[in-house]
Amino acid sequence: MEETSREAVATAVQRVAGMLQRSDQLDKVEQYRRREARKKASVEARLKAAIQSQLDGVRTGLTQLHSALLDVKDIQGSLADVSKDWRQSINTIENLKDVKDAVVQHSQLASAVENLKNIFSVPEIVTETRELIEQAELLQAHRKLMELECSRDDLMYEQYRMDSKNTSDMNLISNYFEDVQGLSDELAKQLWMVLQRSMVTVRRDPTMLVSVVRIIEREEKIDRRMVDRKKQTGFIPPGRPKRWKDKMFEVLEGTVSTRIEGTQSVTREADKMWLVRLLEITRKYVLDDLIVVKNLMVQCFPPHYNTFNRFFSLYHNAVSIRVTELASEDLEANEIVSLLTWVLNTYKSVEMMGHPELRSECDINQLEPLLPQHVVDDLLSKYVKTFTSNITGWLRKALETDKKDWQKETEPEADQDGYYQTTLPAIVFQMFEQNLQVAAQIDGDFKEQVLKLCLKQMNTFLIRYREEAMAYKEEHLRDRQLPQCYVQYMIAIINNCQTFKESINSLKRKYSQSSEPTDSDAAIERTLNEVAKEGCQFLLDEVFLDLEHHLNELLTRKWLTGSHAVDTICVTVEDYFNDFNKIKKPFNQEMTSEALRRVVVEYIKAVMQKRITFKNADERREGAERMIKEADQFKFLFRKLAAGEDTDRLCGAIAAIAEVFKLTDPTLLFLEVTTLVSKYPDIREEHIQALLAVRGDASREMRQMIIGTLSENKVSYSGVTQPIFKDITVPTITMTTMTTMTSMATAKLLK
């Protein structure tokens, strides 16, 4: 209290200090005192009123508690009196058992009287109901059936209430109404038949389907009522609950499954396209049926059945089961493709589940896959394995067919540009194209996989192709008269390499998403180039086999006295190149350049072999002029054949050697040789020695001086241009060779 008083005094002092902060406020002290006095009086009056109100409430509560205590005592007394009266009346209640039995019996009799008419008319109603069922008057038949079941169930219920253990009376009632259960089964059978033919029924007579649904809904209500009564009384009529609604959905599911399973009309033995036909029939049936469900059947079922989605799921599940069964069969490669294409593409396309008429009712993206991913992977793996085996056989067979063509006595066909070719590239890439088109229908990644597999098989095939081309050449060398069209078919083999390149690039552009070259691409490119270049080499070998005799005449005494070897060489080369013009670019140009180089190299080899040694200046001049003339012949020929920019340089090597021979002043020989070396820096010392030996007038000291000086001032070879002298060897005369030559000369003299 003291603390409260202190706080009150402090608050008052603070308020007074706030009121009297200025001197002019002292005049209002009396006014402040009166105002505070009024506030104090008002507060005290409110406190008194509140305390008085609390006291009145407490007084009233005590009065009510006192009254309640008196009432409790009165009730306690009344309960005691009731308990006393109840104990006294127990014996009286037991004496009323007969009255109770009479009441129950009266209730049963009342129920029997009420159903007496129905009881006596049961046989008649049964007959009428059966006739109505046979006449397909299902609603009326069901009404009659409900009357019969109601009479039976009421009687059995009353008997159950009276004496639930009296089975004899229950059996009596059950036997009397035994035909009712048979009628129920017959009606159910009719309902299931209508539901099994629901797709046809809804088109012809939708009211029949509506009647079936109404009957099933009625039975569902009766089932629920009977189940509820069982919870209360423990009694349920025989045959309840019927659960016809569940059975209806089972029948519809079975109908859908049967419709899907019944689409297979033929087998593989009867028709190789059996699977395609089966899938197309399935697609048509499913689409037609779902459109019927959407437009007609939905209106025959209550909205809460969610009819369309239910049928949509039924068809999806049935199709999934069917395609899973098909996937487990031993399918061929084309059948695997047909199945996967249908499952992965057709099924969700606008041709089937994604059809515009169905799209508004369902979301196809929510559908589960028809086949599990592991099944799809197994099928793809099986297809790849089969495809690999098949394509290996196809390629082998195609190559064998092409090899048979190589032996023909007629030239191969030419394309629109006149280039020789065989049908091999077209056959191979037609096979690849067909399989890639099929793979593209399945999946983009699978298409890439098949393309890689095709390219891998292509590389293996080209290695075999190269081996067969070499064997073809070896066979020809054993008898150059056979095959008759060896040159033409070797040209076709070379052209096929270019066709293969173009076809591979076309396939990659069309079926590959990646433009980056792979190891397989590089291997194929390398093998094709090798086959083509080897083919060109084989053809040039063929040319130089025919030229061998004439090349051996070069730079001999016969040549010097007027041989026509070079004329024959030019005519022969030109004749061959009339056929070689049918080689595709770039191989034809490369081949022409290589032919020129080999002609020049063989010519220079003839010089280096020292088949002739000029005896005097006239022979050197005559030989040199002949060499220059023949170099011009080669130049003219190969310009005509479009050998390329290197023609002048290669033919110029012959002319440059001729200039060394033509020089009349031996003292200038060093300068001429130096000029030759500067033009053709790949020339070696042994080449210079051979040239000087053929010239015939260079002394040993001069040869040593020229070689020594050239060695000191050796010109470096940059390797920018293709070398000429690099692969030309100069034969050395051994003791064995000298002995052989001496023997040959002696034998000649003896003759």
Side-chain angles (χ1 to χ4, degrees), residues 595-606:
L596 169 61
R597 183 178 178 281
R598 284 188 65 170
V599 167
V600 172
V601 168
E602 290 296 329
Y603 196 102
I604 296 175
K605 277 184 179 179

Side-chain angles (χ1 to χ4, degrees), residues 256-501:
V256 171
S257 298
T258 302
R259 187 157 174 79
I260 298 302
E261 292 173 0
T263 53
Q264 184 167 348
S265 57
V266 293
T267 60
R268 182 186 290 118
E269 291 73 18
D271 185 357
K272 290 187 177 181
M273 299 297 291
W274 67 277
L275 185 59
V276 175
R277 293 181 184 278
L278 184 151
L279 294 174
E280 176 58 21
I281 293 172
T282 302
R283 182 198 68 79
K284 189 175 184 303
Y285 279 7
V286 171
L287 179 59
D288 292 347
D289 289 357
L290 287 177
I291 290 176
V292 169
V293 170
K294 174 180 177 291
N295 295 329
L296 298 176
M297 196 171 289
V298 168
Q299 303 170 16
C300 300
F301 290 83
H304 66 273
Y305 275 36
N306 201 8
T307 305
F308 181 82
N309 288 334
R310 186 180 293 273
F311 270 93
F312 196 81
S313 297
L314 289 177
Y315 274 97
H316 176 74
N317 294 335
V319 172
S320 179
I321 292 171
R322 183 63 178 133
V323 297
T324 303
E325 292 173 353
L326 291 172
S328 64
E329 296 185 12
D330 188 15
L331 298 177
E332 297 177 356
N334 62 318
E335 294 170 349
I336 292 174
V337 169
S338 298
L339 181 63
L340 290 178
T341 301
W342 193 88
V343 167
L344 300 177
N345 299 318
T346 304
Y347 184 70
K348 290 187 178 182
S349 69
V350 294
E351 297 177 1
M352 198 168 175
M353 293 307 206
H355 193 275
E357 286 201 46
L358 305 180
R359 195 178 300 160
S360 60
E361 299 293 332
C362 63
D363 184 4
I364 58 174
N365 295 321
Q366 300 300 320
L367 286 174
E368 293 292 327
L370 279 179
L371 287 176
Q373 188 59 43
H374 70 89
V375 176
V376 174
D377 293 339
D378 289 344
L379 287 174
L380 290 176
S381 176
K382 183 178 179 182
Y383 173 81
V384 168
K385 186 181 297 183
T386 306
F387 170 69
T388 303
S389 176
N390 289 344
I391 202 169
T392 302
W394 292 335
L395 291 172
R396 185 183 300 112
K397 186 176 180 181
L399 183 53
E400 291 298 325
T401 303
D402 205 54
K403 282 172 57 182
K404 291 179 181 178
D405 291 343
W406 297 351
Q407 306 298 328
K408 289 182 178 179
E409 297 179 0
T410 56
E411 294 182 355
E413 296 180 357
D415 62 12
Q416 65 272 19
D417 297 321
Y419 297 118
Y420 286 138
Q421 63 178 6
T422 67
T423 57
L424 183 62
I427 293 173
V428 170
F429 284 95
Q430 184 179 8
M431 291 188 296
F432 287 170
E433 179 83 20
Q434 289 173 353
N435 284 279
L436 285 168
Q437 286 176 354
V438 167
Q441 295 174 5
I442 297 176
D443 181 67
D445 294 336
F446 183 63
K447 175 190 65 176
E448 292 278 355
Q449 183 181 351
V450 171
L451 177 59
K452 290 179 181 178
L453 179 60
C454 288
L455 295 178
K456 182 179 179 181
Q457 291 296 319
M458 185 66 193
N459 190 37
T460 305
F461 166 75
L462 289 175
I463 294 172
R464 177 67 177 165
Y465 191 54
R466 179 186 179 187
E467 293 172 353
E468 293 297 340
M470 293 181 70
Y472 184 53
K473 174 233 182 180
E474 295 297 329
E475 178 189 357
H476 173 70
L477 289 179
R478 286 193 290 270
D479 183 356
R480 293 189 60 212
Q481 302 301 316
L482 296 174
Q484 292 184 8
C485 296
Y486 167 78
V487 172
Q488 289 80 2
Y489 276 99
M490 187 59 72
I491 291 172
I493 291 172
I494 297 168
N495 288 340
N496 286 348
C497 294
Q498 187 63 20
T499 305
F500 278 132
K501 283 185 181 181

Side-chain angles (χ1 to χ4, degrees), residues 41-83:
S42 174
V43 170
E44 289 177 351
R46 289 200 300 274
L47 285 173
K48 289 179 180 179
I51 292 171
Q52 185 63 40
S53 175
Q54 291 291 332
L55 291 174
D56 291 342
V58 171
R59 188 181 294 110
T60 302
L62 290 173
T63 302
Q64 291 176 347
L65 287 172
H66 182 69
S67 299
L69 180 61
L70 295 176
D71 293 339
V72 168
K73 290 181 179 179
D74 292 340
I75 291 170
Q76 187 176 9
S78 299
L79 287 173
D81 295 338
V82 169
S83 177

Side-chain angles (χ1 to χ4, degrees), residues 7 17 76 117 147 155 220 303 337 499 533 545 550 608 616 675 683 714:
E7 289 179 358
Q76 187 176 9
K117 180 179 179 182
E147 292 177 4
L155 287 172
E220 279 294 302
V337 169
T499 305
K533 289 181 179 179
L545 281 174
H550 306 290
M608 299 303 169
N616 50 52
T675 303
I683 196 168
K714 194 170 184 178

Side-chain angles (χ1 to χ4, degrees), residues 8-22 25-26 29 32-33 36:
V9 170
T11 302
V13 170
Q14 188 175 1
R15 288 192 63 190
V16 170
M19 293 178 185
L20 302 176
Q21 290 181 356
R22 299 189 304 274
Q25 290 178 330
L26 294 174
V29 170
Y32 291 156
R33 185 182 291 112
E36 293 299 322

